[in-house]
Amino acid sequence: MSRVAEFLLRRKGGKGWHWTDIVTWIWLLGGLFVMFGPAVWLVGSSFKSPAALAEFPPSILPYVTQKVTVEGYDKPLDLYEATLPDGRKATLAEVRRIGIVSQMVDPQKPGEIIKVNIGQRTPVRQMSFAMQNYSEPFTHFDFVRYLWNSVFVTVTATLITLVVNSMAAFALSKYEFRGRTFAMLLILATLMVPLSVIMVPLYSIVSALGLFNNLWGVILPTVATPTGVFILRQYMLTIPDELIDAARMDKASEWQIYWRIILPLTAPALAVLAIFSVVWRWNDFLWPLIVLSRKELYTLQVGLSIYSGELNVQWHFILAMTVVTMIPVVLVFIFLQRFITTGIAGTGLK
Amino acid sequence: MKADSPKRTGSGIGETVLLPVRLAMGLIDAPLRWLQRVAGIGGMAAFFLMPNMLIFGIFVLLPFFINFAYSMTGGTALFLPDRSFVGGDQYARLFDCSNYLDANSCTEDTFWTAVGNTGWFVILQVTLMIIVSLITALILNRNLMARSFWRAVFFFPVLLSPVVVGLIWKWILQRQGLLNFGLYGFGFEPFTWLNDRNWAFAATVGVSIWAHMGFYTLILLAGLQAIPKDLYEAAEMDGTRPTRAFLRITLPLLAPNLLVVVVLVLIKAVQIFDEVYVLTGGGPGTSTLYITQYIYETGFATQLRNPGLAAAASILMGVVLVVLTLLQLSLSRSSEKKGARK
Amino acid sequence: MGHIKLTNVTKSFGAIDVLHGINLEIKDGEFVVFVGPSGCGKSTLLRMIAGLEKPTGGELAIDGKVVNAIPAADRGLAMVFQSYALYPHMSVRQNLAFGLENTKMPKAEITQRIAEAARMLEIEAYLDRRPGQLSGGQRQRVAIGRAIVRRPVAFLLDEPLSNLDAELRGSTRAELAALHARLSATMIYVTHDQVEAMTLADRIVVLRAGRIEQIGTPLELYNSPANRFVAGFIGSPHMNFLEGTVESVQSGKAVAALAGGHRIELPVNGAKVGHGARVTIGVRPQHIAVNSDGSGIVAKIKLVEALGSETVIHADVAGQKVLVVAPGQHRLAPGTEMGLSLSAAPLHLFNDKGLRLDHTV
């Protein structure tokens, strides 16, 4: 055991503990709690029944009060561990509560009502995962629709992003033509025009094109991303021009050069862009919120925010849907984190 | 001999998946060969550039220019030709205040409230964000066990959608939430944090830092790792104290990255919307109403929507962003030059 | 089938003229080497023939047909690149097949051509590997193979050996020569290495600063270089140049005084040399004899490099550097003096503009 501790706590050069080491570990462990805690709490809460969610103080794990069906009563009754007036302990079902007095019955002898002070009883609880939080939204809400809309937007936008931007990057990295620098500057200048600045006129253009309340109205404005052109172009610049000369000598058309030589060789950068695009499009919120006003067109993000903004928030469903919405991104995070972190460190983009 | 002829792994599956793509590309090739014959290689460059430029022109450039026209029109009509020209009235309305230090004295008091809120938000959030991410980056740059795990811990929220971030924290900060539960353990009474003006504001600052700090930590960490280790060894040989090494080696060499990060955080902070909209909806009252939400609500959401006013406000915000972006570009360029000189 | 003719071909990149009025005719089956220092325009010339660059002016014809406007793909040429330019994501086999597939050739013929080329170049063993898994020499063979399978009217080779180590370069050079003999196709070869040029070429084109300095067989260039530049470029170690002044011209014989006072008779061969003209006398290091008695031109020994079979002597004749390659082994000490004799040496005479004074030899 001490070996393990020694291994965990050892420091470079085997020197003793410095105050900075203590700060480091406090920061790291605190970070672990603050960063992961909320998400873990969300997942845990998503399995609680509405009653358990309303409890305070909340329990860490999803518990429900055990119920029992007693002869002579239509509904199942809550089960309690009660201390009887004579000091005996018994497991009783509560029939009703009047003030601070609870009327209880013994499930074995349902005829006799026993009065117990509410301070003298504790509910019998068992762990229970409220799976209906997950299953019901699929039928009650248009959750499947939202999921499908989000998947459609994400996949389509990503595919178009990859094709359109790789073509542009190819033109901007491997051809000499007049206006090339101008085109490049124009694309980079887009970085200065975020959605929040042009959303009003963009809305009128999208409407004029008949794309209001249309998933394509969500997809198209996002696909010509300057960052996409930028990463792909930087990568393509590292592909030697002689390869293209060789392909031309090999009677390849320019289109063939693009998709048989350039695209396969750009695969690593395309993968990075694809990952980013999936995350961006999956998470998009403001623009879909503007373009999509019909319920059946909502993406997950819009649907979630609308339902969570309702007066009577059904938290048990919202939490479960939030967890489902998180899943793709968490999968991306677990399996492709390395790609993303190196991508960001290399280009400083998000 | 067999070992000398390595097989491409998974080529079988890849080939079947790629087959329709190959066929499609082959089909496209014939007309494109014709195009190449007609337009020449230069024409093909235009062909490759066109889809991007078209989409970019329609959905970015065009709205960008229309925005100016939009901001000089009034009424609620959607399409520009149907709108009445009002000249600079929208701007005049935005700036119509009897006392420029008091948002309530303005005709568009919500605009100035949003500007004020955004200003405070930016100042607080940027300062704290830089401090937190710099400390985290410095700690992650130490000789840690399982460094990539710790890096992942801090990076994790970056990928979460703003809506999810907003909902997670809304759930934690509500009356029966985790925070109250934690404080209850110390004897505090439950408190509805998001119903209090100041706490709601603090929550938006904290949540946005929680959500994005991993991103900036990563950039700063990359900068720290680019500092050659032998500099510190040389400093150690010279008997330099660690604090001095930090001030005289780490900070100056990290300065270019740090500046870029500051500007990036600034640009993002000015545009804050998604997570706040879900978390507080701008409330309570207007205490967390930020500028993007003002534009969104003026342009789309309120009963008396006024797209022209929203456009005018968005242009004012655009000016700020352009200045910040130019600042960032010039900073990253000068840091590139410095890098080249190294 | 592989007759290439260039008439007044020029090339400019913006305001910079890279090639000035190139006139050149390459016969079918000829092995022509473009040689010159870097930046002389030889690669640009080759890429223009290939169709990868457009000529600014002039006319380029292949087999009698003007091809200025014809794209690279349709000129029927194949090129071997300096970096080999193998497609890194394709196997060797796919690399060889790519160009053939683009011509819609039947599969069976592609397979057959690849097999044939692979046998010829002995690359059968690694047809299914990627270029990244091959050594430099193997990649070079694949690059040549990719050209061979196309059965082009002419092969264009852009410094194909420059990325190989010295030993491999020697053997590959010999293989290339054999390949040319076997295929008897036109080959145009660009190099900055005059040894490659001398060993491979039927004819050498020496280029400098965008102009052709001389065209000729290797021995023509060696024996009668047209000017000082060619004289200095061809041959290793390079030719010595001694400055002199013509002192007397009599009945076809001229005598010049070298710096330092020594007089030598010049091989005028009918060229007109004026009294008092300044001339440059070129003599190859191998042709200078060392007089064992110390008579002749007095030279101060600076450095002696004993290579065993020969001795390279760096000497100084009245302030001019002279390099002597003497066969066999000599005991000479730096700092001492020796006598040199040019009497048996073929001398090359250049005027003050650097042009050869006679063209008869």
Side-chain angles (χ1 to χ4, degrees):
Chain A
M1 196 57 210
S2 67
R3 282 273 188 85
V4 175
E6 195 180 311
F7 176 75
L8 285 172
L9 302 175
R10 84 185 152 170
R11 293 202 56 244
K12 186 189 175 190
K15 286 178 220 156
W17 276 68
H18 190 250
W19 65 268
T20 52
D21 298 315
I22 296 160
V23 172
T24 297
W25 284 100
I26 290 175
W27 191 270
L28 289 177
L29 294 173
L32 186 65
F33 177 72
V34 172
M35 291 300 176
F36 274 153
V40 171
W41 180 249
L42 173 82
V43 175
S45 302
S46 75
F47 288 103
K48 289 182 181 173
S49 63
L53 285 176
E55 262 174 25
F56 191 86
S59 56
I60 304 281
L61 290 167
Y63 280 105
V64 290
T65 304
Q66 221 168 17
K67 287 185 188 282
V68 64
T69 317
V70 184
E71 213 177 299
Y73 297 93
D74 296 341
K75 286 184 185 163
L77 303 175
D78 288 347
L79 208 58
Y80 286 87
E81 192 77 46
T83 313
L84 298 178
D86 56 10
R88 277 187 302 130
K89 289 192 185 244
T91 309
L92 301 175
E94 184 178 75
V95 179
R96 67 180 74 82
R97 210 183 107 191
I98 301 164
I100 57 160
V101 177
S102 169
Q103 300 190 346
M104 304 188 114
V105 288
D106 189 333
Q108 258 64 49
K109 289 178 277 180
E112 180 189 348
I113 295 278
I114 307 161
K115 288 183 181 163
V116 179
N117 190 298
I118 56 165
Q120 300 292 315
R121 67 176 183 34
T122 48
V124 177
R125 315 227 302 166
Q126 64 181 23
M127 222 195 325
S128 151
F129 291 92
M131 296 313 291
Q132 62 273 22
N133 289 354
Y134 285 86
S135 55
E136 274 184 42
F138 279 93
T139 48
H140 283 207
F141 305 87
D142 291 330
F143 188 69
V144 183
R145 258 232 104 76
Y146 304 162
L147 189 65
W148 162 248
N149 290 341
S150 270
V151 169
F152 177 78
V153 166
T154 304
V155 171
T156 318
T158 299
L159 286 178
I160 300 179
T161 298
L162 291 181
V163 173
V164 164
N165 291 322
S166 64
M167 279 170 69
F170 175 46
L172 291 170
S173 62
K174 293 296 171 197
Y175 292 95
E176 294 281 347
F177 56 89
R178 259 187 304 136
R180 186 172 90 159
T181 333
F182 178 72
M184 198 62 217
L185 282 177
L186 209 60
I187 287 174
L188 281 179
T190 324
L191 288 170
M192 291 186 231
V193 195
L195 172 67
S196 44
V197 173
I198 55 167
M199 60 185 168
V200 179
L202 183 57
Y203 172 74
S204 79
I205 285 171
V206 165
S207 301
L209 292 172
L211 295 177
F212 178 65
N213 264 331
N214 186 326
L215 291 179
W216 286 101
V218 175
I219 294 167
L220 286 177
T222 60
V223 294
T225 147
T227 31
V229 176
F230 193 70
I231 330 178
L232 294 178
R233 178 172 175 268
Q234 290 306 101
Y235 197 87
M236 286 179 188
L237 285 175
T238 66
I239 297 174
D241 291 347
E242 275 200 348
L243 274 184
I244 291 169
D245 288 339
R248 288 197 182 129
M249 295 301 287
D250 269 345
K251 285 176 164 282
S253 67
E254 300 302 303
W255 176 254
Q256 274 181 312
I257 293 175
Y258 162 70
W259 80 267
R260 290 206 59 186
I261 309 291
I262 296 294
L263 273 195
L265 292 177
T266 316
L270 286 171
V272 169
L273 179 59
I275 296 168
F276 275 105
S277 175
V278 164
V279 173
W280 287 333
R281 298 293 84 87
W282 184 261
N283 290 348
D284 266 346
F285 174 58
L286 176 56
W287 186 240
L289 183 69
I290 292 172
V291 175
L292 308 173
S293 74
R294 291 221 319 265
K295 265 191 171 184
E296 66 269 26
L297 289 170
Y298 286 170
T299 59
L300 274 180
Q301 314 290 346
V302 176
L304 264 183
S305 87
I306 300 272
Y307 280 120
S308 72
E310 279 176 349
L311 229 45
N312 195 0
V313 183
Q314 292 179 292
W315 271 109
H316 53 297
F317 292 144
I318 296 287
L319 295 175
M321 289 202 286
T322 309
V323 171
V324 174
T325 310
M326 263 170 63
I327 289 173
V329 169
V330 170
L331 289 180
V332 164
F333 175 74
I334 292 171
F335 293 108
L336 304 169
Q337 196 228 134
R338 192 158 290 276
F339 270 104
I340 300 172
T341 48
T342 49
I344 290 175
T347 53
L349 61 91
K350 184 182 178 184
Chain B
M1 199 58 217
K2 260 197 170 162
D4 281 350
S5 52
K7 293 257 152 49
R8 282 166 60 205
T9 45
S11 70
I13 302 159
E15 295 289 305
T16 5
V17 173
L18 281 176
L19 194 66
V21 181
R22 264 170 199 271
L23 282 175
M25 291 295 189
L27 277 180
I28 301 172
D29 190 46
L32 287 180
R33 262 183 200 273
W34 173 82
L35 181 69
Q36 188 179 334
R37 211 161 283 276
V38 176
I41 285 177
M44 288 308 286
F47 164 79
F48 283 117
L49 200 54
M50 206 175 52
N52 186 293
M53 282 293 160
L54 212 61
I55 294 175
F56 167 76
I58 295 174
F59 295 110
V60 178
L61 221 51
L62 192 59
F64 176 76
F65 288 113
I66 288 186
N67 211 9
F68 290 99
Y70 231 95
S71 72
M72 288 186 235
T73 56
T76 53
L78 178 59
F79 297 114
L80 197 55
D82 307 335
R83 299 175 58 80
S84 54
F85 182 78
V86 297
D89 284 7
Q90 305 285 17
Y91 294 95
R93 176 163 179 199
L94 285 179
F95 284 101
D96 179 31
C97 298
S98 50
N99 174 6
Y100 281 97
L101 293 176
D102 181 10
N104 293 323
S105 73
C106 301
T107 313
E108 269 305 299
D109 53 341
T110 41
F111 172 71
W112 288 105
T113 308
V115 169
N117 287 344
T118 310
W120 282 114
F121 177 86
V122 166
I123 293 170
L124 261 168
Q125 198 245 24
V126 172
T127 317
L128 291 173
M129 179 82 95
I130 296 297
I131 294 173
V132 171
S133 7
L134 182 60
I135 293 176
T136 313
L138 284 170
I139 281 176
L140 290 179
N141 193 40
R142 291 173 62 104
N143 186 37
L144 282 183
M145 285 206 23
R147 185 195 290 167
S148 51
F149 166 76
W150 292 111
R151 194 180 57 188
V153 165
F154 288 96
F155 184 74
F156 159 74
V158 171
L159 294 181
L160 294 181
S161 91
V163 174
V164 168
V165 168
L167 285 174
I168 287 179
W169 284 97
K170 194 173 178 178
W171 176 241
I172 286 172
L173 296 174
Q174 54 128 1
R175 200 175 176 84
Q176 295 96 336
L178 185 63
L179 182 64
N180 280 333
F181 178 39
L183 293 174
Y184 179 76
F186 296 100
F188 288 90
E189 280 301 300
F191 183 70
T192 12
W193 301 93
L194 296 176
N195 281 359
D196 179 272
R197 298 182 67 89
N198 294 325
W199 284 112
F201 178 79
T204 61
V205 173
V207 168
S208 66
I209 291 174
W210 180 83
H212 302 294
M213 66 158 290
F215 176 71
Y216 304 105
T217 301
L218 214 60
I219 299 181
L220 290 177
L221 185 60
L224 285 173
Q225 285 175 343
I227 301 176
K229 291 277 167 289
D230 48 7
L231 285 183
Y232 293 102
E233 284 161 12
E236 206 174 328
M237 295 299 288
D238 293 342
T240 317
R241 296 171 57 87
T243 16
R244 197 174 145 78
F246 173 74
L247 290 174
R248 302 302 294 270
I249 299 172
T250 311
L251 270 191
L253 288 176
L254 192 63
N257 290 52
L258 205 53
L259 280 172
V260 169
V261 167
V262 169
V263 181
L264 277 178
V265 180
L266 264 172
I267 291 173
K268 290 279 173 199
V270 173
Q271 299 175 61
I272 185 79
F273 173 75
D274 298 2
E275 52 266 54
V276 171
Y277 185 74
V278 174
L279 186 67
T280 67
T286 52
S287 53
T288 58
L289 176 75
Y290 299 123
I291 189 72
T292 301
Q293 191 180 341
Y294 168 81
I295 297 170
Y296 165 70
E297 287 183 344
T298 312
F300 304 98
T302 51
Q303 290 297 310
L304 295 164
R305 52 193 212 91
N306 185 344
L309 194 65
S314 74
I315 284 175
L316 293 181
M317 174 169 152
V319 171
V320 174
L321 290 174
V322 165
V323 170
L324 291 175
T325 312
L326 289 177
L327 189 66
Q328 188 223 335
L329 283 179
S330 71
L331 284 175
S332 54
R333 189 151 314 155
S334 68
S335 74
E336 250 166 50
K337 271 186 202 147
K338 264 185 207 152
R341 247 185 280 144
K342 262 187 260 167
Chain C
M1 294 306 288
H3 175 266
I4 295 165
K5 192 175 177 191
L6 289 84
T7 319
N8 269 324
V9 170
T10 60
K11 175 71 186 173
S12 318
F13 291 115
I16 304 152
D17 297 333
V18 185
L19 291 168
H20 316 260
I22 301 289
N23 286 295
L24 178 65
E25 193 166 352
I26 297 165
K27 291 190 280 293
D28 183 28
E30 204 174 12
F31 198 126
V32 170
V33 175
F34 296 168
V35 70
S38 52
C40 70
K42 55 189 190 294
S43 280
T44 309
L45 189 56
L46 189 77
R47 289 170 58 81
M48 237 155 40
I49 296 173
L52 296 170
E53 305 270 3
K54 272 205 165 63
T56 311
E59 198 179 272
L60 180 69
I62 298 175
D63 290 329
K65 195 175 147 213
V66 178
V67 295
N68 282 36
I70 291 180
D74 303 328
R75 293 190 183 185
L77 307 172
M79 189 154 168
V80 176
F81 292 87
Q82 181 170 9
S83 66
Y84 314 139
L86 299 176
Y87 311 121
H89 56 301
M90 299 183 191
S91 69
V92 169
R93 191 190 303 280
Q94 288 167 324
N95 261 283
L96 298 185
F98 184 68
L100 303 178
E101 286 166 359
N102 290 338
T103 62
K104 307 253 185 304
M105 184 181 283
K107 277 230 160 69
E109 191 179 351
I110 295 179
T111 317
Q112 183 248 322
R113 280 203 192 183
I114 291 175
E116 191 184 313
R119 205 175 325 113
M120 195 190 299
L121 294 165
E122 295 164 12
I123 55 173
E124 293 136 307
Y126 33 88
L127 273 178
D128 289 313
R129 290 195 209 169
R130 300 271 181 102
Q133 299 164 310
L134 303 180
S135 72
Q138 290 168 335
R139 272 182 237 178
Q140 216 272 339
R141 282 159 181 274
V142 176
I144 293 174
R146 188 169 62 178
I148 288 177
V149 292
R150 293 273 314 282
R151 306 226 172 113
V153 298
F155 288 85
L156 312 176
L157 302 105
D158 188 4
E159 309 224 16
L161 305 183
S162 63
N163 283 340
L164 300 179
D165 62 51
E167 198 181 333
L168 206 52
R169 204 180 304 162
S171 60
T172 313
R173 206 167 63 205
E175 283 173 31
L176 261 181
L179 194 69
H180 177 241
R182 181 166 172 179
L183 296 172
S184 64
T186 310
M187 287 192 177
I188 306 177
Y189 187 108
V190 162
T191 182
H192 61 270
D193 179 355
Q194 55 94 19
V195 178
E196 279 174 26
M198 294 293 283
T199 49
L200 286 170
D202 292 328
R203 278 198 303 160
I204 297 176
V205 178
V206 184
L207 285 147
R208 179 170 64 145
R211 288 194 169 80
I212 293 181
E213 294 283 317
Q214 190 173 4
I215 305 175
T217 66
L219 289 183
E220 275 168 16
L221 298 192
Y222 187 83
N223 292 334
S224 57
N227 53 43
R228 260 191 78 162
F229 175 75
V230 177
F233 198 80
I234 302 289
S236 171
H238 66 76
M239 190 182 273
N240 294 301
F241 295 107
L242 301 166
E243 303 299 327
T245 314
V246 177
E247 287 203 327
S248 67
V249 187
Q250 277 179 344
S251 59
K253 285 191 172 181
V255 173
L258 299 179
H262 193 86
R263 285 174 178 73
I264 51 172
E265 192 179 311
L266 301 177
V268 186
N269 290 342
K272 281 186 181 158
V273 186
H275 183 79
R278 296 195 56 81
V279 291
T280 304
I281 299 143
V283 58
R284 299 208 178 269
Q286 292 85 348
H287 296 153
I288 304 176
V290 178
N291 291 341
S292 50
D293 57 357
S295 65
I297 304 169
V298 178
K300 188 164 190 181
I301 300 169
K302 293 277 183 196
L303 177 70
V304 179
E305 297 169 330
L307 302 177
S309 64
E310 58 188 27
T311 307
V312 180
I313 307 151
H314 299 253
D316 183 294
V317 175
Q320 301 186 88
K321 275 183 193 158
V322 173
L323 200 68
V324 179
V325 176
Q329 304 180 357
H330 298 262
R331 288 183 172 281
L332 294 165
T336 61
E337 290 187 339
M338 62 176 180
L340 300 176
S341 163
L342 301 181
S343 55
L347 298 180
H348 307 268
L349 212 56
F350 304 101
N351 65 13
D352 51 358
K353 290 191 182 75
L355 294 177
R356 189 180 185 84
L357 276 171
D358 80 276
H359 282 281
T360 53
V361 182

